[in-house]
Amino acid sequence: MPFSRFMEIALYNEPGGYYADGVERVGRSGDFFTSVSAGPLFGRLLAGQFLEMHELLGGPRDFTIVEQGANDGRLLADVLAALDGTALEGCAAVVLEPLGVLRDRQAVALDGRPVEWVESPALLREFRGVHFSNELFDALPFEILRSAGGQWRALHVVESEGGFEFEPGEEVLGAELLPARPDGFLAEVRPAQKALLRGISEKMASGFLLAVDYGMSRRELLAPHRVEGTFACYSQHRRDAKPLEAPGTKDITAHVDFSGLARAAAGAGFEVRGFTDQHHFLVGASAGLLRDLDGRPPDVESAKLLRSLKTLMHPETMGAQFKALLLAKGVATGPVLSGFQFAREAAYLLDEADDALLSPGCG
Ligand SMILES: C[S@@+](CC[C@H](N)C(=O)[O-])C[C@H]1O[C@@H](n2cnc3c(N)ncnc32)[C@H](O)[C@@H]1O
């Protein structure tokens, strides 16, 4: 089978898949940390961005917040708590969640807040507002492509002696327009990404899509030293590169190709409005919070907030690897969201993809 199918079963098959078996995955007692593990600050800063989006859309009463990849529901709970007492208190909130065990866990974290659950973008009602995710796109099933003789071939998974191994599969004909690389070079592509973005775009009358994830531009991903690709597995805070071993017991992930994502988004009707690393995103997004903290005597709460901010922003923890991509649909260009005020021009993400189109080789 294609590796993407193997990954889909290993992570999402109900009931035994890694994310579908009811075991806690994120946090100290789980397998890996995310920005949500640093405390409620991340949600609070995202809430600030959503308030700015609400203003940019002219303050509509029907502003809706949609989260996908919510896992335990902590992040949305943090966002909604931070919106209490603001113009978005009590706004509509939707979780896009196909897995029953996660819907139950999210309901506990959201503790009676009026949230709606839908299983897929196709079941969403048309909405105005924001679709956001933290570490969703890296978790979408991907193909692992290997370069051979100027072509890219998808690796397939076959059974072998009670386990699994890779064997070269079919040539991928220009599927993702990757430029040629030396023989043996590995790269990942996500077949479901396009349809996912199209599905969201079809339901978004106007608004923003904010995707935070780890990854980089395509040019950086295909740099000569990344010959082994970026796929990795996580279990109990240990990393390995053996996705075919012990399926269902560990996370399988790869860096997000943000150029590919931006290009797929443009094809789905979104405009790219911002791209930056989490460090610069949060320097901008936390400016108001830091002004507030400056004006009051230091206390336990402010010390906690500053510690969280450091974890989220520091380049050696989450500041450099993680990126924020902002897309918009049906929104006139206007003031920049504070989180993107220090970002460089995002259009280069798309230009890069176009470079790949023009270069010789696959596609
Ligand atoms: C790495 S976890 C991120 C969890 C959480 N957002 C956080 O930051 O702590 C990835 C999540 O994406 C979810 N996911 C993957 N594909 C999805 C899809 N098509 N729709 C909704 N959720 C999905 C997984 O079930 C998992 O909960």
Side-chain angles (χ1 to χ4, degrees):
M1 64 176 82
F3 177 73
S4 61
R5 177 67 187 134
F6 177 89
M7 181 171 164
E8 190 180 2
I9 297 169
L11 297 190
Y12 303 115
N13 212 47
E14 293 191 271
Y18 175 80
Y19 282 112
D21 66 1
V23 177
E24 197 168 328
R25 300 305 188 182
V26 181
R28 196 171 298 283
S29 59
D31 294 327
F32 52 88
F33 293 116
T34 69
S35 290
V36 189
S37 317
L41 179 64
F42 188 61
R44 178 166 165 183
L45 296 175
L46 291 186
Q49 298 301 289
F50 302 162
L51 283 164
E52 291 181 31
M53 291 173 185
H54 180 235
E55 261 184 47
L56 289 175
L57 287 175
R61 290 165 77 86
D62 61 352
F63 189 92
T64 301
I65 296 178
V66 180
E67 185 182 10
Q68 189 165 8
N71 195 261
D72 56 14
R74 191 66 264 152
L75 182 55
L76 185 59
D78 292 341
V79 165
L80 297 179
L83 291 174
D84 284 343
T86 72
L88 285 178
E89 176 168 4
C91 71
V94 181
V95 179
L96 264 170
E97 181 55 73
L99 298 176
V101 278
L102 292 185
R103 287 198 293 271
D104 293 345
R105 172 107 36 90
Q106 291 153 5
V108 173
L110 288 157
D111 195 21
R113 283 192 183 269
V115 169
E116 189 189 338
W117 277 266
V118 300
E119 290 186 26
S120 70
L123 300 172
L124 272 175
R125 271 194 299 276
E126 191 175 87
F127 72 100
R128 268 199 285 186
V130 58
H131 173 289
F132 82 101
S133 61
N134 187 53
E135 296 199 36
L136 165 69
F137 289 94
D138 75 271
L140 297 183
F142 49 81
E143 299 299 353
I144 303 177
L145 308 187
R146 181 192 275 146
S147 170
Q151 301 169 335
W152 289 98
R153 288 188 178 277
L155 295 184
H156 278 195
V157 179
V158 293
E159 287 191 68
S160 125
E161 294 170 19
F164 300 98
E165 64 181 21
F166 282 122
E167 76 174 20
E170 77 287 356
E171 183 188 347
V172 181
L173 286 171
E176 292 286 331
L177 306 163
L178 297 178
R181 283 295 175 266
D183 282 3
F185 200 101
L186 301 179
E188 303 88 8
V189 295
R190 295 180 169 82
Q193 190 168 267
K194 245 185 216 166
L196 189 149
L197 289 165
R198 207 167 282 144
I200 299 162
S201 172
E202 273 168 14
K203 297 302 168 79
M204 187 186 282
S206 58
F208 296 91
L209 184 148
L210 178 65
V212 182
D213 219 314
Y214 48 90
M216 50 195 98
S217 70
R218 178 167 290 178
R219 186 166 299 168
E220 291 170 284
L221 264 180
L222 296 181
H225 66 281
R226 282 205 186 85
V227 60
E228 300 199 333
T230 63
F231 61 87
C233 302
Y234 288 91
S235 175
Q236 295 173 355
H237 298 275
R238 279 192 299 269
R239 181 179 198 272
D240 71 64
K242 297 175 184 159
L244 302 187
E245 278 183 16
T249 68
K250 52 189 185 179
D251 195 18
I252 306 174
T253 169
H255 281 54
V256 171
D257 167 359
F258 277 100
S259 306
L261 187 58
R263 192 179 177 78
F270 288 106
E271 282 172 32
V272 178
R273 289 284 172 87
F275 179 66
T276 188
D277 63 26
Q278 185 157 298
H279 177 89
H280 288 82
F281 176 61
L282 294 184
V283 168
S286 65
L289 170 81
L290 291 177
R291 262 196 312 274
D292 289 350
L293 291 181
D294 253 359
R296 63 182 221 215
D299 57 11
V300 176
E301 201 218 325
S302 55
K304 236 191 214 167
L305 287 172
L306 290 173
R307 255 200 320 275
S308 296
L309 191 56
K310 186 175 159 196
T311 305
L312 294 172
M313 276 179 30
H314 199 287
E316 285 181 354
T317 47
M318 294 169 138
Q321 254 201 352
F322 283 81
K323 310 286 180 335
L325 175 69
L326 179 69
L327 307 171
K329 190 181 168 213
V331 187
T333 39
V336 189
L337 284 188
S338 61
F340 293 89
Q341 61 184 308
F342 303 117
R344 62 183 277 208
E345 182 50 55
Y348 80 95
L349 278 178
L350 285 167
D351 294 340
E352 260 186 1
D354 288 340
D355 282 351
L357 250 178
L358 297 173
S359 68
C362 178

